[in-house]
Structure formats: C-alpha cells, structure tokens
Amino acid sequence: MSQIPFVATPPPGTQPEFHHPPYVSSIARSPRQPLVLLPRTLSERTGPVFGHATVRPADADLTAQHDGDPIGERIVVHGRVLDQDGRPVRGALIEVWQANAAGRYRHKVDQHHAPLDPNFSGAGRMMTDDNGYYSFRTIFPGSYPWGNHHNAWRPSHIHFSLFGAGILSRLVTQMYFPGDPLQPLDPIFNSIPDEKARQRLVSRFDIERTEPSEALAFYWDIVLRGPEDTPFEERKR
Ligand SMILES: [Fe+2]
C-alpha cells in the first residue's frame, strides 16, 4: 500500500474562521459542532482524474472569448502552484471567475445596476505546467457592492478554484490586488486573523511581465500547505 503523504496542519490564525460574524453569511453557514476529521485513504488517489485534452489554451484568455474586445484594463495574472516544500504542483486544474470591469458578474442573481459587457463572460481555466506555472489574461475586475452591511463593497478580486490530480482535492480562494483601499474594510478578507496570511492573498504588481502598450501584470503564488500556505475558504482534500 502506498504511503499517504504527510499533510502539515496550517498554523493557527492563517486560515479563514468558519464563523466570522462581521461576514454575515458565515453565521448561518458555519458548523456548530467541532469538525470530524475523516481518515485519508487511497481514494484520494484512485478517484476520477482530469485529462488535459478538454482544457484549451484559449480558455486562459478571458479577453478573447467573444467577437469584440471587453471593456476595461487588460491584465495578465501569473504565478506558481507550490507544495509545502516549494516544489511545483504539476497538472493542477485552475478555474477562475470574476466580475467585469464595472463590478458585475454575468449571473442571474447579480442585480447590481452596473452594465454587463457582451464581450466578457468572466470565467476561464488552465492547467499548471511542469514548473507548477500558470498564466491567464483578463480584465481588471471592478469593485462591487454587496448586502453584508451598510455601504459594503468588495475589493477587486478574482476567485480561484484548484483541483489536484483528482476531483476529491479541491481548494477555493480569492486573489486580491495591491494597494486596494477596500481590503481593510472587507469582512471576507478579514476573516483570516493573521495579517501575514491575509497578505498572501494579495498579488504583486509585476513590471517585468507587464507588456508594453498592452497589459499590466500581477504575480501570485499559491502554496497548498505548510506554514506559508495560502488561505483557502474551502478545502476538500
Ligand atoms: Fe466575487
């Protein structure tokens, strides 16, 4: 029988609190009983796996999914997916979704009166390569209001979902942008008690990768475990 890999428990305060009353939805959503840890078994390795065939390079360009150009500032987001020892995580499926430049999702429950963009769907996907590297092109997402409290606005962010080799290992988180004045006011961002851990959700501006006359670039590594790991709002692994 194969060894099940050792998984370090994240240090206290570095992951979001399930029950964080300033984030109002977390009150009803959070468990009332202590979590039960299920034993890890080989099913994490022998379940269904993703192939590469269905993920096309074009899926990683959210600016080219329609006939015209979307409105907004073009950006490139890139980085690496790493394990607790800094080794690349190859072949991970990354899915991203976000609001358009005006702060509106293409989704029926989003009734913000900002305009939809007929040339922007706001969803993409890609696989990490042999170096754990990923990259995609999109539009800088706008801030949007939400009903959590009076005058609540989400900082600009992109939602990320990561699947490992199988569909039983899924992580969900959000990436933010540097210098956003809404971050200190955001209950979701602040549901992570540890300041350094919170900052691990903030990408850095990358002038080296910025494309002249074309697109700003932002760099963001995702670390799956260990003391430096990325905060995840959802973990299934
Ligand atoms: Fe969002």
Side-chain angles (χ1 to χ4, degrees):
M1 183 170 154
S2 301
Q3 281 291 105
I4 303 301
F6 169 75
V7 178
T9 304
T14 61
Q15 293 291 323
E17 306 278 8
F18 290 119
H19 182 256
H20 183 66
Y23 178 16
V24 174
S25 300
S26 77
I27 297 171
R29 188 186 287 168
S30 54
R32 290 285 173 274
Q33 302 291 326
L35 298 184
V36 176
L37 273 182
L38 297 174
R40 293 172 206 286
T41 70
L42 276 179
S43 68
E44 276 82 33
R45 295 190 158 183
T46 56
V49 297
F50 291 107
H52 293 228
T54 53
V55 179
R56 302 164 303 161
D59 294 342
D61 188 350
L62 283 71
T63 69
Q65 295 175 339
H66 299 274
D67 290 340
D69 290 327
I71 300 292
E73 182 182 11
R74 284 183 298 272
I75 60 172
V76 171
V77 177
H78 69 134
R80 297 177 76 198
V81 180
L82 303 167
D83 73 6
Q84 61 191 351
D85 300 315
R87 291 177 301 216
V89 176
R90 306 179 176 96
L93 174 69
I94 300 179
E95 297 169 298
V96 293
W97 63 99
Q98 62 166 95
N100 69 20
R104 176 96 183 255
Y105 285 98
R106 182 176 291 280
H107 192 283
K108 62 177 184 284
V109 303
D110 188 343
Q111 297 301 317
H112 179 28
H113 66 89
L116 284 170
D117 183 340
N119 291 314
F120 191 72
S121 298
R125 58 185 183 167
M126 68 232 72
M127 310 277 299
T128 56
D129 70 12
D130 283 350
N131 296 312
Y133 182 76
Y134 73 91
S135 173
F136 63 99
R137 182 177 300 264
T138 187
I139 293 294
F140 196 98
S143 304
Y144 57 81
W146 60 311
N148 188 74
H149 57 275
H150 174 66
N151 216 3
W153 292 79
R154 294 298 327 280
S156 292
H157 61 277
I158 298 177
H159 296 268
F160 276 65
S161 162
L162 287 87
F163 281 106
I167 60 173
L168 295 174
S169 56
R170 187 186 187 202
L171 299 168
V172 178
T173 189
Q174 300 180 33
M175 187 206 85
Y176 298 83
F177 293 88
D180 190 326
L182 292 169
Q183 283 163 12
L185 306 175
D186 181 50
I188 296 180
F189 187 69
N190 287 317
S191 67
I192 303 150
D194 185 90
E195 165 69 14
K196 277 190 181 158
R198 277 201 296 280
Q199 293 305 319
R200 289 201 285 275
L201 294 182
V202 182
S203 58
R204 69 170 166 79
F205 172 60
D206 183 359
I207 188 63
E208 300 298 326
R209 182 72 164 74
T210 288
E211 300 171 10
S213 306
E214 183 61 26
L216 296 182
F218 294 89
Y219 186 88
W220 189 52
D221 280 342
I222 302 164
V223 181
L224 299 186
R225 347 185 135 119
E228 298 295 316
D229 77 349
T230 303
F232 293 100
E233 61 202 54
E234 187 178 326
R235 282 175 184 261
K236 289 188 180 129
R237 65 186 190 191

